[in-house]
Amino acid sequence: MVAAGVGAERRTGAYWRDLVFGRVLPALFFSLFVADQVLQLSETFQSARTFSDYLFVLRQVLALSYFTMLVVLYSTRLPQRGTDHRLGVILVAFTGTFSALLGTFLPGGERREWLVLPGDILATIGLIYSVWGLAYLRRSFSITPEARRLVTGGPYRLSRHPVYLGEIATAIGVNLATAGWPGALALVYFVGAELLRMRWEEGVLAKAFPADYPAYADRVPRYFPNPFRAGSKS
């Protein structure tokens, strides 16, 4: 009876830690980005006149969708089936994730007008791909490497990491025309962190789904979508 009581107490403690640090705080944090996107969207939509303006509005709508989905998904995440919570992994995952956001606040270089439109298009495509990935990943989303369920449909039929690839494309597109050296370094760190997160996440998934993940990884490329060769690797 004592052992059972201790176990229940431990489960209760784990439950509250997951609720506060794994759900509520992340959801509240990303809610700030939702509010910011709503304010920006209301301003830019009223002043939109050109194609670039409306493309920027579309990008903000996608960003609003992205952050709104993060709030909902963090609040309703499925239980973990596997994790990699080594300190170094956690640090790289979080610092890498937010280095892309940091890059937009760092001192910029000279504005390269000829790269503005390509950057906007790349960022828009990246956001579309990320939102599409989140729509299939749903309640399995996490920043640190964790396994909840094996997702193989939608964009996950084309690439093992569509959300990460979309985020990389978005970050490059946003910074393409204006980034100075500080922003470029932050972007390089972000891309490196994303690549590491892909590898770590695959290790967690392989352990959590030993019967299914190896076949999926053999069938679907890690990086770039290749619908013409279903069994190719990259």
Side-chain angles (χ1 to χ4, degrees), residues 6-227:
V6 172
E9 183 179 349
R10 288 177 179 173
R11 286 195 297 273
T12 301
Y15 168 80
W16 285 109
R17 285 194 299 273
D18 177 69
L19 178 65
V20 174
F21 296 105
R23 298 174 186 269
V24 175
L25 290 181
L28 289 175
F29 176 77
F30 287 113
S31 295
L32 299 177
F33 291 92
V34 172
D36 179 63
Q37 290 299 321
V38 169
L39 294 175
Q40 290 189 45
L41 183 59
S42 62
E43 294 177 1
T44 55
F45 183 76
Q46 295 176 3
S47 60
R49 296 292 183 272
T50 66
F51 173 77
S52 295
D53 293 338
Y54 285 108
L55 189 61
F56 185 63
V57 170
L58 174 60
R59 205 172 81 199
Q60 288 186 311
V61 171
L62 290 167
L64 176 60
S65 302
Y66 177 82
F67 287 118
T68 301
M69 291 174 74
L70 291 187
V71 172
V72 174
L73 297 178
Y74 256 112
S75 302
T76 60
R77 289 198 302 178
L78 295 170
Q80 300 173 1
R81 295 186 59 175
T83 64
D84 186 349
H85 283 175
R86 291 173 293 171
L87 180 59
V89 172
I90 294 174
L91 287 175
V92 170
F94 278 94
T95 59
T97 296
F98 297 110
S99 64
L101 298 173
L102 175 64
T104 61
F105 296 100
L106 294 174
E110 183 178 350
R111 182 180 172 89
R112 298 171 285 275
E113 294 294 338
W114 61 282
L115 288 176
V116 172
L117 183 58
D120 287 344
I121 293 174
L122 180 60
T124 302
I125 293 173
L127 276 170
I128 291 173
Y129 203 47
S130 289
V131 170
W132 187 25
L134 280 179
Y136 275 83
L137 189 60
R138 296 196 291 272
R139 297 168 63 198
S140 298
F141 175 81
S142 64
I143 291 180
T144 56
E146 296 173 352
R148 288 177 168 81
R149 64 188 179 95
L150 182 59
V151 181
T152 60
Y156 286 88
R157 292 181 300 174
L158 306 176
S159 166
R160 284 179 250 165
H161 303 283
V163 175
Y164 291 149
L165 290 176
E167 290 173 345
I168 290 173
T170 301
I172 293 174
V174 168
N175 291 280
L176 190 62
T178 58
W181 282 110
L185 291 175
L187 182 60
V188 169
Y189 179 76
F190 169 72
V191 173
E194 293 284 85
L195 296 178
L196 286 173
R197 290 172 67 193
M198 292 180 192
R199 296 279 185 169
W200 291 331
E201 185 176 288
E202 289 181 4
V204 172
L205 289 170
K207 291 180 180 179
F209 306 100
D212 299 317
Y213 190 78
Y216 169 72
D218 187 64
R219 185 175 69 251
V220 178
R222 171 180 291 127
Y223 300 122
F224 301 108
N226 188 350

